[in-house]
Structure formats: C-alpha cells, structure tokens
Amino acid sequence: MDMNAYLSMFIDESNDHLQSLNENLLRLESDPADLSIVQVIFRSAHTLKGMSATMGYEDLASLTHEMENVLDLVRNEKLKMDNFIFDTLFKSLDALESMVQDIIGGGTGRADVSHIVVSLQSIFKGEYKAESAPSASAASAEGSSGAEGILDEFQSSVLLQSIEAGHSVFHTVVTIREDCMLKAARAYMVFDFLERSGEVVKSQPSVQDIEQEKFDRSFTVFTITSLSQDELQKGIESVSEIESAVVTQLDGESLFQLGGRPAGASTPSNVHNISAAAEVAASASSAEAKPASAPAAAPAVASSGQGGSTALSRTIRVDIERLDALMNLFSELLIDRVRLEQLASEIRRTELTETVEHMSRVSGDLQNIVLKLRMVPVESVFNRFPRMVRDLAKSLDKKIDLVITGAETELDRTVIDEIGDPLVHLLRNSLDHGVEPIPDRIAAGKPEIGTVHLRAFHSGNHVFIEIEDDGRGINKEKVKQIAIKNDVITVDEAKRLTDKEINMLIFAAGFSTADKISDISGRGVGLDVVRTKISTLGGHVTVDSVEGKGSKFSIQLPLTLSIISAMLVKLGTEKYAIPLSSIVETSIIRREHIRKIHGNLMMEFRGTVIPIISLSQVLESTSYNEADEAETEIVVIRKGDKLVAVMVDEFISQNDIVLKSLGKYLTNIEAISGATILGDGQVALIIDPNALIK
Amino acid sequence: MGEEMKVIVFGLANEEYGIEVDKVRTIERMSPITRVPKTPAFIKGVINLRGVVLPVIDLRGRFGLSESEPTENSRIIIVAANDLEVGFIVDAANDVIDIDSDSIDSPPEVVGGIKAKYLRGVAKIGDNRLLIMLNLSEVLNKNEIIQLEQLEG
C-alpha cells in the first residue's frame, strides 16, 4: 500500500486530534469531575493510536497507548486526575505534537519519549504516589467495573429499544480455556453463533482486537437475541475449548447503569449496583480492557466528539496550493475583465457592453466566493493559546484566566499564517509584563486571578484583534526614561510627547521595559518585531493603557491581502493605485488655498487644518508637478485619526485590483506597498498610505 | 577536459557576456517598464511578465557603464538566482553556445571597467573571441545595493 497517499490525511487528522486533546484536557483541568470529557479525550487518543499504528509510526502509537492506559483508568473512575497526571499528559501531548511535526517535515516521527512513558506507566501502575487508587490488578478483581460505562449512548439506546420491543438482551462473559491455541478462532465461532441467533451490539475488547487475539482469556459481549438465557449459554459452551459462558439478562434499569452515563451520573454507589447486577463477571479478568470504542462507536464519536458545540457541516479538505492556483487564475481573469470593460466602453456596441456587464457581475460573485474560500476562522490560531497561557502562567507562578471571544471571525489564510507569531509575542508580553505577580495583585486590591481577553471582530473592511489585560499597565515615566537611555528619543522630545505617543514607544526598536530578562519576553527583540510584522500584513497595532488598570493592544488587519478596491490616479505619465480603505474623500483645491505654516504645506479641511503633501515629490515623479496647475486634485487619506491630503494629477477610476508583490529583489520601497497589473497589461504601483502619514 | 556548458551570449557596450543557460528563464523583447521610486538608478522598474511583476535592472547601469536608450535589439533576459527573479536589460541577446568549463580563466582585475567580483571569469572561444562570464549571485547581491543607497543618501 502506498502510504504517501494517506500521509497528508494522517497529518491533518492527527493535528485535529491533537488539538482536540489539548482543548479537552484544558477543559478537564478546569472541571476534573466531568468524566464525559475523559471519554472524548480517550476516543481522540484511541483514534490517534490506531492511525499512527496503521501508518507505521510506532513511537507515536506506543506513546498514545500509554496515555490511553492512564485515561482508561480515569474514565473508569479508578484513578482521580491530579496535577501530576495533567502535567504528564500535557507533556505527552507536546511530545506527540513534535513527532507529528517531524513527520510533516518528512521525518520518521521517531523521538525518545522514554521518560514520559515511564511517568505514564508509573501513573498507570499507581506507583507515583502511595495513596493512589487501587492498582490495576486490584481493580481487575472487582471485575465488573471493567464493563461499567463501556456502552455509549447510542448502544444503550439500541439495547433499550430492543428490550422495550420485547427482545432479550444479554450480557455475556465468555472465558476461553487456558490451553486454547487459537483463541481468535474460538472467539470467532462464538460470534458466529451469536450473530446467527441475534445481533451483537457491543463487545469488549472490540471485535478487531479479538480477531487479532488482543485479549487475555475472556471477552464480554452484549447481544440482542430471540434465544433464552439457557439456550444462549449452551450454544456458546458448545463451542469447543470454551471454558465458561456467563450469561446475564439485562433489563432497562441495569442497562441504564451500564450505559453511556450522562455526565456525573456515575457515582461510586451505582458502581456497586452494577457489580451486584453483573456479578457474573467476577471471574473475568477483563478489567484491563482494551480500548472500548469499537467501530460501532465511531459515528457517535464524530457527532459528540466536539462536545456538541459544532453543528454538522459538510466539508472537504482542499490542498492550499490548489486554492492559491485558483486565486491566481482568478486574478488573471480580473485583469482581463478590466481590459474588456475598457474595450467595451471604447467600442460602444450595446451587445458587447451588455455581455461585458453581465460578465462583470458574474466575476464579481465569483470573486466573493474565491475570497471566501480562503477565509479561515482565527480559531485556528487562537486555539493554541489556552494551552500556551496555561503553561506560561505556571512557569511565571501567576494565575491567568484567558477569555477568548470572536474566535469564529474569519480572515484570509495568508494573514492567518502570519498573525500567529505576533499574537504569541503580545500575549507573552501581557502575561509577563502586564499581569502582576499574585502578591502584587492582592496588594493592589485586584483579584488573584488575572484576566487576559483575546478578542477578534469585524469592523468595516478590517478585522480587529485585541489583547487586553487587567495588569499593571504601562508606566509612562519608566517608558520615557528607558527610551531616552536607549537613544530612542531625546530628552527634549520626551517632554513634548503625548500619552499615546509614549505608549507607542514600546514598539520602538531595541526597547524592553523588563527589569529582569526572563525566559518569556524581554529579550530585547521586543515589540518592534510585532509592529513590523503587522505592518507587512497591511495592518497596524496600537496600545491603550491606564497605569494600574491594564493595557489593551489593538491590531487592525485587512480582511484580505489579495484583492482590494483602489482608486487609480495619474501622476503625469505614471499611474498609481491608492487603497480605497484609507481614502476619506477626494476633491479639488485651488492653489492659493494651500498655506504654508511653519515651512509645511497645510490646507483647511472641514473646519480643521490638515497637512497637504505632494505625491510627485514623494515619488520623485519627473513628468508631473502640481505647482504648474492652478487647481489640483487631492485625495484625503486617513491613518487612525490623522488626516492628510495628497495632491495628484488626475483621478482615473475606482477598481478592484489584484495585489502583487514586487518580488524579493525590491523590498521595503518607501511609500510603495506593492504592485498591480492594469487592464492594459501595464504595472501600476500601489501607494502605502500609512507611509505618507508620519 | 572540464564540463560542457551551454551559455547564453549577450552584448553589452561592445563586449560579449555569458550566463549559464540554466540560470535563464526567458528572453523577452522590451516591454513598458513601470518606474519604481526611491531605488538605485540602475533599477529601471518593474514589468508585467505574464501576470508576474518582475524588477528589471539595466546591466549597463549596474556595472557603472554609460546608459543608453534601448534599441530594436535590446532584450530583457529574465534570470533566476539566489531565490530571486530579475530581468536584465542588455543591448542584444543572440546566441547560445557550448563552452568547456576549463576554458574559463579567472578574470583579470579590471575588464571594461567592471569590478572583477561580478565576473566569474573569461572564456576564450575560437581565436579571438572573449566571453565574459557573469557571477550572478554577486550581480544580484542586495547588500551592495543597500551600501550604494547609503552612499547616495
């Protein structure tokens, strides 16, 4: 079998399962009593184990197997979760993740995980602490509790319906003789008999495990049959080399106790009930049962696996490269559309114009769909943060509550791919520098647990991501001093700065306010990296802070990086595009209305005075000089709450343009953010409005 | 005998230069170039090459030779090296020849005023034809451009 065909599927699914493991483990940590979460975790781990074993990644499989053993004890209430177990499980997840990463990178997924395996095994054996729950062997003596909880809701409802319909439902423990050579074959014969006389709803271990002789000497089955209890027992015992078959008829109540318990319904007391009801199982040593999620459980896993939060939506996985190819083809189409529109307006034939207009509408719809295809919920970035925050808080000895809202907000995949690192940086910053250590918080009269909000929301053509903490806020005096010390600003400049400008200083290169250099942040590669990264994405970042109350970092990002609406303008012979998102309005100004104030050109605009700049000077244009004109077209652009008027030669039109990069050879060109191809095949440069506003 | 290699031959200011054929993507006729502001003078701007925006460099300017108006024969050679794709404006491109890598001598200190580090060597073809082999990674070296900018600034 060619494994490569399955590799990408394996990687995708492993990542999904790891993510779900992470999330659910976190949920469990906040609510350790909720065993239904353990079930979900167990299923994920089990599926992961199966997949990796199939793909031949043995280390992955064996590590998940050890995790599964521990989880099995937990979900059967033989083991209580505690910090040590959580930490070990989280460590195992990390190891699994790095193995999967290795596989993604083309590696073999091998890793030395022996220390984690040892910890897991010690948990499993109950050695890691003296007062640990009954050991595995002791548990097996209790026997029946191994069967307890093995039915999921689906299976119990099937059984229940059968009972109500008047069929007999039996719980049967089959034990094979010790000297039996072909256990699987005997088991098969038993199954064959059971299936001839009725239906097997559930077996433990699963049918597959039994077929592969992965069971000790006995197995348990739940059957619906028309036979009587005696007939069933005789029938099974007639199979040679079967030592015993213990058959118990089940009624609604005992089934309920056995069944897929609703969260928290299972208390130790009804464990006893079950032991009583099914004491027949006493001889069984099936407690160390293999994974219970038989194939029949799989559909239930799919629907209930996500904690019921996800509605069933039909999706397919598509290679990202295909989406990119689609996007590229579409942008070619868009260029041709613009060209066709131009031609149609020149030729002026009604039929042609109508066809072109229709095509424009269709391609507009197409554009929406293509862009939507590339939209991914920020969840895919956010969902790794709870874990990160947990670990960080632990290592910093702080208590942090991370509140995520708006995880469903969608962003272009290209933005998603890039936004992770800056967000990690900002979160670490909030945790390390923002939220105070517990004693400080108490002294300040704040709750012991710090809250960090991570929000995402749409607004206009932008997506905002905010990180807000209730920590100590920015110490403006300290910021100023450090900025002066690090030559970011001079003493004179510092005196003139507004509060907002002082806050923004923390984004300056080589700035770090941490007194101590800690592992988490404050290594000098501070927030300037964040700002640079975000501005290359076409967004910007601001910070608000109230000292003693907390800080809020706000990132504004464009919805998409590939197609934008822009205003095309002319400068003499050259054409430029200005993104519509930053244009406030366009107008015409007479030369004499431009004033010179303190050496700067200014103009009056709606009651305020705003700077006016010459685009031809900024872009060193040789073919246009606005000073030759009596009247000049201006475009008023905005960055934050600052406005600037830009003088241009002529407006051409408003268009959807496809963003293209200038290539790696030309990077960081001042005032230019990229290029686009116009309908006539020429390249027009895209103005970066942010660079025009200082 | 060294290895046989195929070389694209192009003309620049009365000299003949060579680039290994595997570094060359295509050779294009001159097309409209969009000027990019705030770049060194030898960067002529960007062109649209079948939907991809590519920077073009005037090799004359890059080598500090006097620039000239493009003619009928002018071509843009699209090369790819160091992960970069760039077009070179040359006076003419008209030949592909095989040369023996052994026939490339290390460059004399100054060839036609071009700094030796841009050159891989000089290949002698036939009796009195010299082919100057370019060292593409040096020609495309961006660090030097940054230095140039600082000098100009």
Side-chain angles (χ1 to χ4, degrees), chain A residues 574 619 660 664-665 681 683, chain B residues 34-35 38 48 51 142 145:
Chain A
E574 296 173 340
L619 302 177
K660 305 255 177 188
K664 285 185 191 151
Y665 191 71
V683 180
Chain B
T34 303
R35 182 185 69 92
K38 313 241 173 179
N48 165 21
K142 281 176 56 174
I145 299 175

Side-chain angles (χ1 to χ4, degrees), chain A residues 472-488:
Chain A
R472 58 168 81 92
I474 297 175
N475 183 334
K476 297 197 173 63
E477 277 312 309
K478 202 162 140 197
V479 167
K480 267 200 247 177
Q481 283 164 19
I482 293 173
I484 295 167
K485 197 179 84 196
N486 292 354
D487 292 333
V488 181

Side-chain angles (χ1 to χ4, degrees), chain A residues 540-553:
Chain A
H540 43 88
V541 56
T542 54
V543 57
D544 285 318
S545 180
V546 180
E547 201 171 343
K549 289 262 165 61
S551 321
K552 181 166 90 180
F553 290 87

Side-chain angles (χ1 to χ4, degrees), chain B residues 62-91:
Chain B
R62 182 73 181 91
F63 294 156
L65 305 171
S66 66
E67 295 187 20
S68 62
E69 284 298 307
T71 66
E72 261 298 280
N73 292 328
S74 294
R75 291 289 181 276
I76 300 177
I77 301 182
I78 312 291
V79 299
N82 302 3
D83 234 4
L84 300 169
E85 250 191 319
V86 172
F88 287 153
I89 302 176
V90 299
D91 291 354

Side-chain angles (χ1 to χ4, degrees), chain A residues 332 335 574-576 616-622 660-667 669-670 672 675-678 681-685, chain B residues 32-39 42-43 45-55 57 62 83-86 139-142 145:
Chain A
E332 299 276 307
I335 291 162
E574 296 173 340
K575 291 175 186 171
Y576 290 92
S616 66
Q617 269 175 33
V618 173
L619 302 177
E620 299 166 339
S621 166
T622 49
K660 305 255 177 188
S661 89
L662 289 173
K664 285 185 191 151
Y665 191 71
L666 295 176
T667 49
I669 309 282
E670 196 188 328
I672 300 295
T676 187
I677 296 170
L678 300 177
Q682 287 217 29
V683 180
L685 300 179
Chain B
I33 299 175
T34 303
R35 182 185 69 92
V36 180
K38 313 241 173 179
T39 49
F42 63 81
I43 296 180
V46 287
I47 56 164
N48 165 21
L49 183 74
R50 288 176 283 279
V52 178
V53 176
L54 278 185
I57 293 176
R62 182 73 181 91
D83 234 4
L84 300 169
E85 250 191 319
V86 172
V139 177
L140 296 181
N141 189 341
K142 281 176 56 174
I145 299 175

Side-chain angles (χ1 to χ4, degrees), chain A residues 448-462:
Chain A
E448 200 180 329
I449 301 173
T451 312
V452 176
H453 286 275
L454 179 60
R455 297 188 200 96
F457 54 91
H458 280 285
S459 174
N461 230 350
H462 288 91

Side-chain angles (χ1 to χ4, degrees), chain A residues 155-170:
Chain A
Q155 290 161 343
S156 18
S157 72
V158 167
L159 291 175
L160 203 62
Q161 277 167 13
S162 318
I163 293 171
E164 281 162 4
H167 297 288
S168 314
V169 173
F170 294 103

Side-chain angles (χ1 to χ4, degrees), chain A residues 341-353:
Chain A
E341 280 169 352
Q342 251 178 39
L343 286 175
S345 68
E346 279 165 24
I347 293 169
R348 288 172 193 280
R349 264 191 65 180
T350 333
E351 295 98 320
L352 179 63
T353 315

